[in-house]
Amino acid sequence: MPKAQPNPTESLTFWQDALAWRGAVMAKVLPRTALFGVYACFVSLLHLWSPWEGADPVHLGYAGGFFALLLTLRTSTGYERWWEARKLWGGIVNQSRSLAISAVEYGPRDRVWRQQFVRWSAVFCHAARQTLTGEDDAEALTRVLGDPPAARELLAARHMPSRVVGRLARLLRQAREQGGLDGFDLLVIDRERAALIEHIGSCERILRTALPRVHSIKLRRFIFLYLLGLPLALETSQVWVTPLITMLVAYLLFAIDQIGHELENPFDTGRASHLPLRAICSAIEADLMTLLADDERAGV
């Protein structure tokens, strides 16, 4: 039986991730780590001049386990928020496709109506993205709608996703009153439309509801006090050992704490590992524009 060959891509990915700088939190925690390294150097020199007895390593282990528990809780909470946001955007992807397909299949045969409905369905993701990230991307709105005045009007709206969903509702009413859209089909399509606003509302809940501030304050205060006492608790005759151990421990604590902080807001483009909303919106736009092009080629 032939032996399984190692996958070179997986091996390369390990080294790429291990040595990666972009997307990592290293740049944000190194200044703090270096600061405690300088402090540990001062303590080491003071220890040579006036020695004292270090603490029992068991106590350091107890404290380390306590911090591991708190940091794990913080990181897991941040990841839950990140993953929930990703699932909500997965729902936006599915609902946008389903909404456009339902409109094409069950809606009126009016070519202008179908084009407007699909385009407004495709622009919802861009409106939602800009609402969550605080961006102003008029070019994307104009590209999808194909109507610069409508794009400018949408960009000036107080809540762009609601404006888009409202426009879709008016198009559905028009299809019902003038295009002969069946009442049952209207309910099916309108259910898809309503689901979009539910998804963006859940995303805004994540965006506007931060984790309790008291937890972050207490955790970071404990880290600060622990790193202040760590060099004093270490007993060594080597000047360089205490700063090295202190910086290693500081880097681990700061990095895990920073990872939890980065995951708290998955929509902030300035944070590491934020959701790739531009790529998701581009995929939705491409799918719906392809659907529209296929419908027009079919001569419907």
Side-chain angles (χ1 to χ4, degrees):
M1 185 176 184
K3 296 182 178 180
Q5 298 295 324
N7 189 339
T9 304
E10 293 181 358
S11 177
L12 183 61
T13 302
F14 169 80
W15 290 111
Q16 287 177 337
D17 290 343
L19 302 176
W21 182 267
R22 184 177 182 181
V25 299
M26 183 180 296
K28 297 183 179 182
V29 302
L30 279 182
R32 283 172 275 169
T33 303
L35 181 62
F36 276 96
V38 173
Y39 164 73
C41 287
F42 173 78
V43 173
S44 295
L45 294 175
L46 185 62
H47 183 268
L48 290 180
W49 176 67
S50 178
W52 62 81
E53 184 178 356
D56 190 336
V58 174
H59 301 311
L60 299 178
Y62 289 153
F66 172 72
F67 281 123
L69 179 62
L70 291 179
L71 289 171
T72 300
L73 175 62
R74 177 178 175 82
T75 304
S76 62
T77 303
Y79 181 76
E80 287 177 3
R81 291 165 61 89
W82 185 93
W83 183 241
E84 182 184 1
R86 183 60 186 91
K87 289 192 294 183
L88 289 170
W89 268 87
I92 291 177
V93 172
N94 295 335
Q95 298 301 148
S96 298
R97 292 170 178 166
S98 181
L99 180 64
I101 292 173
S102 298
V104 169
E105 295 298 327
Y106 305 128
R109 300 306 172 185
D110 184 353
R111 180 175 175 272
V112 175
W113 184 91
R114 296 159 79 86
Q115 186 178 77
Q116 287 186 355
F117 196 92
V118 173
R119 287 184 177 275
W120 279 96
S121 300
V123 85
F124 176 85
C125 61
H126 291 287
R129 169 177 62 84
Q130 296 183 46
T131 298
L132 295 172
T133 61
E135 300 172 319
D136 289 331
D137 190 0
E139 189 275 332
L141 304 180
T142 304
R143 181 183 65 247
V144 177
L145 292 176
D147 185 356
R152 289 193 296 269
E153 181 182 353
L154 176 59
L155 191 63
R158 184 178 183 274
H159 189 251
M160 288 192 290
S162 296
R163 178 65 62 88
V164 174
V165 173
R167 182 61 180 269
L168 291 173
R170 288 194 296 273
L171 287 171
L172 287 175
R173 184 181 63 184
Q174 176 186 346
R176 175 62 176 164
E177 295 175 351
Q178 304 175 11
L181 178 64
D182 181 76
F184 178 78
D185 293 336
L186 173 63
L187 291 177
V188 172
I189 300 175
D190 195 62
R191 189 180 301 115
E192 305 288 351
R193 179 195 63 85
L196 289 176
I197 206 68
E198 291 179 4
H199 290 316
I200 187 61
S202 298
C203 289
E204 290 174 339
R205 169 177 52 80
I206 297 175
L207 176 66
R208 296 171 182 172
T209 307
L211 291 179
R213 178 72 172 161
V214 63
H215 177 74
S216 178
I217 291 175
K218 287 299 182 183
L219 177 59
R220 292 183 170 180
R221 185 169 296 168
F222 289 156
I223 293 176
F224 174 71
L225 295 175
Y226 179 78
L227 293 177
L228 279 181
L230 180 60
L232 299 172
L234 295 176
E235 182 180 8
T236 175
S237 59
Q238 301 293 331
V239 177
W240 58 272
V241 172
T242 298
L244 180 62
I245 295 177
T246 301
M247 286 192 295
L248 178 61
V249 174
Y251 175 76
L252 293 175
L253 295 177
F254 286 147
I256 298 176
D257 173 71
Q258 189 67 33
I259 290 172
H261 174 72
E262 298 292 325
L263 294 174
E264 286 179 13
N265 185 357
F267 309 115
D268 187 352
T269 57
R271 302 197 184 194
S273 298
H274 60 84
L275 288 178
L277 297 186
R278 282 186 175 272
I280 296 174
C281 291
S282 297
I284 296 174
E285 177 186 341
D287 291 343
L288 269 60
M289 291 299 102
T290 300
L291 174 66
L292 183 61
D294 293 342
D295 182 65
E296 293 179 348
R297 279 196 298 268
V300 180

